[in-house]
Coordinates of all heavy atoms in Angstrom, one line a residue:
L4 N 1.1 8.5 0.9 CA 1.7 9.8 0.5 C 1.4 10.8 1.6 O 0.2 10.9 2.0 CB 1.1 10.3 -0.8 CG 1.2 9.3 -2.0 CD1 0.4 9.8 -3.2 CD2 2.7 9.1 -2.4
E6 N 1.8 15.0 2.3 CA 2.3 16.3 1.9 C 2.7 17.2 3.1 O 2.2 16.9 4.2 CB 1.2 17.0 1.1 CG 0.6 16.3 -0.1 CD -0.6 15.6 0.1 OE1 -0.8 15.2 1.4 OE2 -1.4 15.3 -0.8
S21 N 6.3 19.4 -0.3 CA 6.9 18.1 -0.4 C 5.9 17.0 -0.2 O 4.9 17.2 0.4 CB 8.0 17.9 0.7 OG 9.1 18.8 0.5
G42 N -16.0 23.8 -3.4 CA -17.1 24.0 -4.4 C -16.5 23.8 -5.8 O -17.3 23.9 -6.8
N83 N 6.7 29.6 -7.0 CA 7.2 31.0 -7.0 C 6.2 32.0 -7.4 O 5.2 31.6 -8.2 CB 8.5 31.1 -7.8 CG 9.6 30.2 -7.3 OD1 9.7 30.0 -6.1 ND2 10.5 29.7 -8.2
N88 N -5.0 33.7 -6.3 CA -5.9 32.6 -6.9 C -5.2 31.3 -6.9 O -5.7 30.3 -7.4 CB -6.4 33.0 -8.2 CG -5.3 33.3 -9.2 OD1 -4.2 33.1 -8.9 ND2 -5.7 33.6 -10.5
G117 N -2.4 11.8 -1.1 CA -2.1 12.3 0.2 C -3.3 13.0 0.8 O -4.3 13.1 0.2
G119 N -3.4 16.2 1.7 CA -3.5 17.6 1.4 C -2.8 18.5 2.3 O -2.7 18.2 3.5
V124 N -2.6 32.4 0.0 CA -1.9 33.5 -0.6 C -2.8 34.8 -0.4 O -3.8 34.9 -0.9 CB -1.5 33.3 -2.0 CG1 -0.6 34.5 -2.5 CG2 -0.9 32.1 -2.3

Side-chain angles (χ1 to χ4, degrees):
L4 304 174
E6 301 97 336
S21 295
N83 297 329
N88 60 3
V124 184

